[in-house]
Amino acid sequence: MKNIKVSKINKIELPEGDLYKFIDNKNKNFNEFGEVYFSSIKPKSVKAWKLHKKMTLNIVVPVGKVRFVLFDDIKKKMFEVKIGQNDYKLLTIKPNTWYGFQGISKEISLVANLANIRHDEKEMSRQSDDFFPFDWSIK
């Protein structure tokens, strides 16, 4: 999907605790700084569906593991990606992409987002968990 990109990023293992790189201003996915926020998600919980009309999201999961499900409205296809501290990647979601996510660790996971604009309820749309036909059960 052209509105979604999953990029390898650095995780540096250190004896006293690992260092998780996020993004810098030379990364091609970084275009502007609006805000950074963190969202915790409980095991098996779902936060879906959202669509940002202007915001580009740059997401990492430094604690736990999270399944992201994205919907390409043009191709009418679902895209699923799992990222977390043991599969550490940067997920970039461009505007006009529906997405939802679910905690798939045994403990609370932490999602960090560096957005190009500040949060604005007027630039986003929300729908209920069952808006798209997706099976959120964990197998």
Side-chain angles (χ1 to χ4, degrees), residues 1-53:
M1 290 176 59
K2 89 177 186 184
N3 280 356
I4 302 159
K5 181 165 185 150
V6 180
S7 309
K8 185 175 174 142
I9 51 177
N10 289 334
K11 174 183 167 186
I12 301 166
E13 294 182 13
L14 300 167
E16 40 307 299
D18 297 341
L19 177 111
Y20 296 83
K21 295 284 268 183
F22 191 156
I23 195 168
D24 62 38
N25 61 2
K26 293 184 181 183
N27 184 301
K28 60 186 171 201
N29 297 311
F30 178 82
N31 56 4
E32 203 173 345
F33 175 75
E35 69 179 0
V36 173
Y37 67 83
F38 300 89
S39 178
S40 65
I41 187 157
K42 295 177 181 176
K44 299 182 183 178
S45 292
V46 174
K47 294 185 178 184
W49 292 96
K50 296 179 185 178
L51 177 139
H52 289 280
K53 297 170 192 150

Side-chain angles (χ1 to χ4, degrees), residues 84-111:
Q85 69 190 78
N86 294 325
D87 189 15
Y88 194 63
K89 294 187 173 95
L90 170 66
L91 172 62
T92 301
I93 304 172
K94 296 199 176 182
N96 298 307
T97 304
W98 284 102
Y99 72 97
F101 58 98
Q102 178 181 38
I104 57 173
S105 292
K106 292 181 181 175
E107 298 184 11
I108 291 176
S109 297
L110 187 66
V111 175

Side-chain angles (χ1 to χ4, degrees), residues 26-85:
K26 293 184 181 183
N27 184 301
K28 60 186 171 201
N29 297 311
F30 178 82
N31 56 4
E32 203 173 345
F33 175 75
E35 69 179 0
V36 173
Y37 67 83
F38 300 89
S39 178
S40 65
I41 187 157
K42 295 177 181 176
K44 299 182 183 178
S45 292
V46 174
K47 294 185 178 184
W49 292 96
K50 296 179 185 178
L51 177 139
H52 289 280
K53 297 170 192 150
K54 297 177 185 173
M55 183 184 287
T56 296
L57 296 82
N58 288 290
I59 296 172
V60 296
V61 178
V63 177
K65 189 168 187 176
V66 175
R67 169 168 63 170
F68 291 86
V69 179
L70 307 108
F71 182 74
D72 183 333
D73 205 19
I74 295 166
K75 295 182 180 178
K76 305 293 185 209
K77 288 188 177 181
M78 294 280 192
F79 177 77
E80 182 178 336
V81 62
K82 297 173 185 174
I83 60 174
Q85 69 190 78

